[in-house]
Amino acid sequence: MIIIGEKINGTIPIVKEAIENRDASFIADRAIKQTTAGANFIDVCASTAPEHEIETLKWLMEVVQDATDTPLSIDSPNPRVIEAVFKYAQKPGVINSISEEGDKCEVLLPLLEGNTWEVVGLTCDNNGIPNDLETKVNITKTMVEKATKYGVTPDRIHIDPCVMALSTDHKALLNFVEEIRTIKALFPQIHVTGAISNISFGLPIRTLINQTAMSYALQAGMDSAVLDPLNLDMMGTIFAANALLGQDKHCRKYSKAYRTGQIASIKKRP
């Protein structure tokens, strides 16, 4: 499972405050803890005023890269911002993200030519997030075709089918599972990612919905996720599900995760 750590994002109030105060030690600590917890990439998202986003994102990148060797996931809804800060990345990571909205593919895909950078692709376009499988699959096909022109193979692409909230669509998980299976059938080497916690928006005991949804998504073929690697419950669900699905020989990864503190029983938590 590829984990994109989500805890350095300006939409989080405490992170927003740290960004405003340029509290480098706070940001660095979050990066280190996510790395220790097993994050494969550290997402950095400024979520600040447009006129300050480039400078802020550059600062976040510098702080995180000084704190850890874990590759970055450079995150912004504005492709021009990512384009502007791309050169400050010290090693290949993930661009988050492209879609068929506006000129995102045209601006960002050329940055991936001739290197090993990966990219998140959202299944949305100028009409927003579609509700039907066919449109999401067609958007995926189009992004893969465009990426191929720049030498970006499917194994470098993380497709996010954009899971919807269960509170507004009672078939949200069923649709998400179908999308994962269909996309993986078309492109077996492609990664399927997403923020699974979106599914529980507006519901009580969100962690229960999130963990159960993750189990179903893993069974369908989801192999990448944007989440909090310090969440022992979610990480436990991931390691347990992978073991139960026959993807962890002799449960070695599950057992190691327990020994290293990536998962823990309630009585053993601090």
Side-chain angles (χ1 to χ4, degrees), residues 32-47:
I32 293 168
K33 285 180 177 176
Q34 289 183 93
T35 294
T36 302
N40 301 100
F41 300 95
I42 303 294
D43 195 74
V44 285
C45 182
S47 294

Side-chain angles (χ1 to χ4, degrees), residues 41-242:
F41 300 95
I42 303 294
D43 195 74
V44 285
C45 182
S47 294
T48 188
E51 62 269 24
H52 301 303
E53 189 177 6
I54 291 175
E55 185 274 330
T56 302
L57 191 51
K58 177 178 178 289
W59 176 76
L60 285 173
M61 292 171 64
E62 291 172 347
V63 172
V64 172
Q65 289 179 125
D66 284 344
T68 176
D69 290 331
T70 303
L72 299 174
S73 166
I74 305 176
D75 190 349
S76 173
N78 185 341
R80 296 296 177 182
V81 170
I82 296 177
E83 181 184 42
V85 302
F86 183 76
K87 61 186 177 183
Y88 299 111
Q90 296 174 2
K91 64 172 64 175
V94 174
I95 286 178
N96 189 5
S97 58
I98 60 170
S99 69
E100 278 301 284
E101 180 185 11
D103 60 354
K104 290 185 177 182
C105 283
E106 288 68 29
V107 173
L108 297 177
L109 284 175
L111 300 177
L112 279 70
E113 188 171 19
N115 54 50
T116 58
W117 274 82
E118 301 178 23
V119 65
V120 172
L122 306 179
T123 56
C124 57
D125 56 20
N126 291 324
N127 295 315
I129 301 174
N131 292 317
D132 63 293
L133 172 65
E134 183 179 3
T135 303
K136 289 188 175 184
V137 169
N138 287 337
I139 291 173
T140 298
K141 289 179 179 178
T142 299
M143 287 192 291
V144 170
E145 289 172 3
K146 289 182 178 180
T148 300
K149 296 177 182 178
Y150 296 96
V152 181
T153 51
D155 61 302
R156 292 169 58 192
I157 302 173
H158 301 245
I159 290 295
D160 182 351
C162 301
V163 63
M164 307 303 288
L166 189 65
S167 57
T168 59
D169 180 359
H170 70 286
K171 291 189 176 181
L173 178 64
L174 297 178
N175 293 336
F176 188 59
V177 164
E178 185 178 11
E179 290 154 9
I180 295 170
R181 287 175 174 158
T182 303
I183 290 169
K184 293 290 280 189
L186 285 170
F187 304 104
Q189 300 305 313
I190 214 164
H191 300 293
V192 178
T193 193
I196 200 74
S197 60
N198 290 343
I199 199 166
S200 64
F201 183 79
L203 294 174
I205 317 179
R206 294 186 64 183
T207 55
L208 183 59
I209 297 292
N210 295 342
Q211 290 165 226
T212 306
M214 178 61 81
S215 294
Y216 279 98
L218 288 169
Q219 185 180 31
M222 186 176 182
D223 60 352
S224 170
V226 181
L227 53 77
D228 176 6
L230 303 181
N231 184 327
L232 299 183
D233 292 320
M234 181 58 80
M235 293 300 289
T237 296
I238 291 170
F239 280 106
N242 283 333

